[in-house]
Structures are given as C-alpha cells and as structure tokens.
C-alpha cells in the first residue's frame, strides 16, 4: 500500500513521499494511518460506533490537515503552469515539461478560462477545492483498502 501511495503522489502531484521505505516519515501518510485507525472495523455491527464523537472530530481534523497539504502542492503546480504559459510565444511551445496529472487539470482550467483574466491569475477556490477533494478521496480509499 505504501508503494501505491508513493506512485499516486508522484504521478499526480510530483511529490516524493517515500512512504514505501519510511512509512512514518511522511505527514500525509501519518495522517492517513491515523484516520484508518480512527475508522475502526467497517464490518462492525455495533450501532454505537457511529456515535463516537472523538472519532468524527479526529477524522475532520486529519482531513483538514491533508487538504492544506494538497492545496499547497496544487498551488505550487499552478504557479508552474502560469509561469510556463507566460513563456510561450505566439505559435510556440511551452518551454517547461508539465506532465503530471495535476498539470493537465490545471492546463484545462487555464484553457477554459483564457478570456477571464482574473481566473488566469488566481486559481478559483471552488476549483482548488474540487481538485484537492478528488485527490484526497483517492488516497484515502487507497490507504483504507489495503
């Protein structure tokens, strides 16, 4: 499961997490591990399991921390996409190689908003939330299914 997380982080966001060799040396890996421990056994028939208030608070807190990390990584890539676009001469090609999954999503956003100067300069909060929520869902499912 750690190798899968490393691959997802690297291919989607370009982050080297090294969870395969150092599972505790990565903040997101630690947060996901903590979340999986708070989730408990999903097969449990105990009806009181859903009433565990500390569980829901810790899950919310960990999700908030993960989202902050993901948003920072996405915004870093957004700056590279904007910088790359600024260097393109009419009819020319971009000078930087942006091949990550997040780069494709951000390029699409840029292309869809080419007429809107404000959106070209600042990534909308809604779009940032959508991107980080989708990525967070993927890594959470990956971590909890293994």
């Amino acid at each position: 499961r750690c190798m899968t997380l490393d691959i997802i982080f690297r291919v989607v966001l370009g982050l080297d997490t090294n969870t395969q060799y150092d599972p505790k040396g990565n903040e997101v890996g630690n947060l996901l591990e903590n979340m999986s421990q708070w989730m408990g056994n999903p097969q449990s028939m105990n009806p009181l399991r859903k009433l565990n208030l500390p569980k829901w608070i810790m899950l919310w807190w960990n999700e908030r921390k993960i989202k902050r990390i993901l948003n920072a990584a996405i915004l870093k890539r957004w700056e590279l996409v904007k910088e790359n676009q600024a260097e393109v001469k009419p009819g020319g090609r971009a000078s930087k190689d942006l091949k990550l999954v997040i780069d494709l999503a951000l390029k699409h956003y840029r292309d869809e908003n080419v007429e809107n100067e404000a959106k070209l300069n600042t990534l909308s909060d809604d779009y940032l939330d959508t991107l980080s929520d989708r990525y967070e869902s993927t890594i959470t499912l990956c971590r909890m299914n293994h």
Side-chain angles (χ1 to χ4, degrees):
R1 72 179 159 194
C2 292
M3 183 174 70
T4 304
L5 281 176
D6 285 346
I7 291 169
I8 291 171
F9 274 101
R10 184 70 182 137
V11 171
V12 175
L13 291 173
L15 297 176
D16 292 319
T17 56
N18 198 30
T19 54
Q20 183 178 359
Y21 299 109
D22 186 11
K24 298 293 183 187
N26 165 352
E27 186 177 6
V28 174
N30 290 335
L31 291 168
L32 291 170
E33 183 66 30
N34 185 273
M35 287 175 73
S36 65
Q37 290 172 358
W38 277 102
M39 290 298 295
N41 181 2
Q43 305 297 322
S44 172
M45 299 301 282
N46 183 354
L48 298 177
R49 185 173 139 268
K50 292 183 180 182
L51 299 176
N52 185 348
L53 184 60
K55 165 189 166 179
W56 297 112
I57 292 170
M58 289 306 297
L59 290 174
W60 171 81
W61 183 251
N62 286 333
E63 286 177 12
R64 189 169 173 242
K65 286 181 175 180
I66 290 171
K67 188 170 200 127
R68 187 178 61 241
I69 292 166
L70 295 176
N71 284 352
I74 292 168
L75 288 172
K76 182 178 178 182
R77 296 306 297 185
W78 173 242
E79 291 303 317
L80 289 174
V81 169
K82 285 190 331 184
E83 179 183 309
N84 192 43
Q85 183 59 30
E87 294 176 0
V88 176
K89 296 182 177 35
R93 293 180 45 99
S95 61
K96 290 187 175 61
D97 230 5
L98 300 173
K99 295 183 178 180
L100 300 176
V101 172
I102 195 66
D103 296 337
L104 297 175
L106 293 171
K107 285 180 193 178
H108 176 74
Y109 174 85
R110 186 199 63 221
D111 293 344
E112 290 291 313
N113 294 292
V114 74
E115 301 296 324
N116 186 335
E117 190 69 30
K119 284 190 174 185
L120 284 178
N121 291 324
T122 305
L123 194 61
S124 79
D125 290 339
D126 290 340
Y127 194 70
L128 180 61
D129 286 344
T130 299
L131 290 173
S132 63
D133 287 346
R134 287 183 181 171
Y135 187 67
E136 180 183 355
S137 298
T138 302
I139 59 175
T140 301
L141 285 173
C142 170
R143 185 66 174 205
M144 293 189 186
N145 285 333
H146 286 83

